[in-house]
Amino acid sequence: MEVKIYKDYNELSAAAAAMIIDCIKSKPEALLCFATGDTPRLAYQKAAESAIGDKIDTSGCFFIGLDEWMGIPPTNTGSCHWFLHEYLFKPMDIDPTQIHLFDALAANGEEECRKMNKLIAVNGIDLMVVGVGMNGHIGFNEPGTNINSLAHVAALDEITRTVGRKYFEDEVTIGKGITVGLKQVMETGKLLMMANGKKKAPVIKKTLEQAIGPDFPATFIRQHKNGFLLIDEEAASELKTA
Ligand code: GLP
């Protein structure tokens, strides 16, 4: 794993966008997996601008969503589904046949996981972009998740449920999430983990300085052969070596 520190959110986002575009250029049939959240929003906007502006051919790529809030409809502006369409797929002009997202309204969550597991097993994820939760989660791989986990429905912990309210305009009940598993995160061709801002500084300190293990899933990135932790100076501000 490599740690890259950028001056601010704008430079961090530009770097992540460039890595997304490089992946698509070097492998036009790439499978890309994207997180949602405040962190990657600008990177996605920049990647979409670049793809359209530079006429990058994205027609052979396939896109999957990292996670979703169970029970939240795709029309809800707090859903991962809505986010990815709004900031990435629509601006990048991606055809719906090139996208697979978890169905948060599915009666059978296990079946949703099986579909995602199959897709990943057949193609292999070339590039994954993730954020990191205040409790160290990756996607909805909450603290305590087994490193060998595949896609699963997860009971969300207190921190995730509390922090998660920021995405929703109205009061919603968020109890469970559905997510690509840690094993699949670790097997990606390239893993980009992004974090910015002062509030992520303690999270990044733990990610890099705490013992690697399920108590803080983000620590596993240190074992990824092609992992990149992209952070801004504020997020790096509590590191011993920063
Ligand atoms: C959310 C999402 C994650 C995201 C993380 C960080 O709960 N499920 O996929 O990466 O938490 O979010 P943010 O970027 O808003 O800090």
Side-chain angles (χ1 to χ4, degrees):
M1 181 212 56
E2 198 178 316
V3 181
K4 288 173 169 277
I5 304 175
Y6 300 92
K7 185 165 75 64
D8 55 26
Y9 181 55
N10 192 50
E11 287 193 9
L12 162 72
S13 303
M19 290 169 102
I20 295 169
I21 294 298
D22 279 354
C23 172
I24 297 172
K25 277 194 199 160
S26 65
K27 189 173 178 187
E29 71 286 5
L31 174 62
L32 301 105
C33 179
F34 291 114
T36 60
D38 292 333
T39 313
R41 188 185 290 121
L42 184 58
Y44 295 165
Q45 288 171 317
K46 285 181 185 286
E49 274 168 31
S50 162
I52 296 297
D54 298 337
K55 297 190 168 52
I56 310 287
D57 183 7
T58 53
S59 63
C61 295
F62 199 83
F63 300 85
I64 59 177
L66 176 68
D67 54 7
E68 186 56 280
W69 307 95
M70 282 307 269
I72 302 293
T75 47
N76 187 312
T77 56
S79 70
C80 301
H81 191 111
W82 186 90
F83 178 104
L84 288 173
H85 279 275
E86 184 70 14
Y87 298 111
L88 195 62
F89 302 144
K90 275 196 239 161
M92 226 187 232
D93 202 16
I94 303 298
D95 192 86
T97 57
Q98 294 171 254
I99 302 166
H100 179 78
L101 305 178
F102 285 117
D103 177 1
L105 302 181
N108 186 345
E110 298 309 314
E111 184 51 31
E112 279 305 292
C113 294
R114 267 193 291 277
K115 278 191 237 163
M116 189 61 92
N117 287 337
K118 195 171 166 197
L119 209 158
I120 294 172
V122 170
N123 299 287
I125 299 172
D126 295 291
L127 175 74
M128 179 185 276
V129 178
V130 301
V132 52
M134 296 305 290
N135 58 1
H137 72 201
I138 300 175
F140 283 134
N141 290 280
E142 297 284 54
T145 305
N146 191 295
I147 185 67
N148 291 315
S149 63
L150 298 178
H152 59 281
V153 174
L156 301 177
D157 85 8
E158 181 61 32
I159 296 176
T160 301
R161 282 185 278 125
T162 307
V163 175
R165 288 197 201 113
K166 69 177 174 168
Y167 306 117
F168 297 95
E169 286 168 24
D170 301 317
E171 196 67 32
V172 290
T173 310
I174 40 176
K176 285 182 179 172
I178 185 166
T179 186
V180 168
L182 279 180
K183 187 172 185 342
Q184 294 152 323
V185 172
M186 293 305 288
E187 286 177 352
T188 50
K190 195 174 202 170
L191 177 63
L192 308 187
M193 179 181 281
M194 301 178 68
N196 70 286
K198 263 237 147 333
K199 74 165 192 269
K200 287 286 169 77
V203 173
I204 292 307
K205 184 177 176 61
K206 284 184 192 165
T207 300
L208 291 177
E209 295 174 10
Q210 188 168 303
I212 297 172
D215 288 352
F216 208 78
T219 54
F220 285 121
I221 192 176
R222 283 150 56 196
Q223 294 178 329
H224 195 292
K225 288 189 288 297
N226 201 18
F228 293 84
L229 179 62
L230 311 180
I231 54 181
D232 68 357
E233 286 180 1
E234 285 189 350
S237 61
E238 289 185 23
L239 293 177
K240 277 190 207 138
T241 50

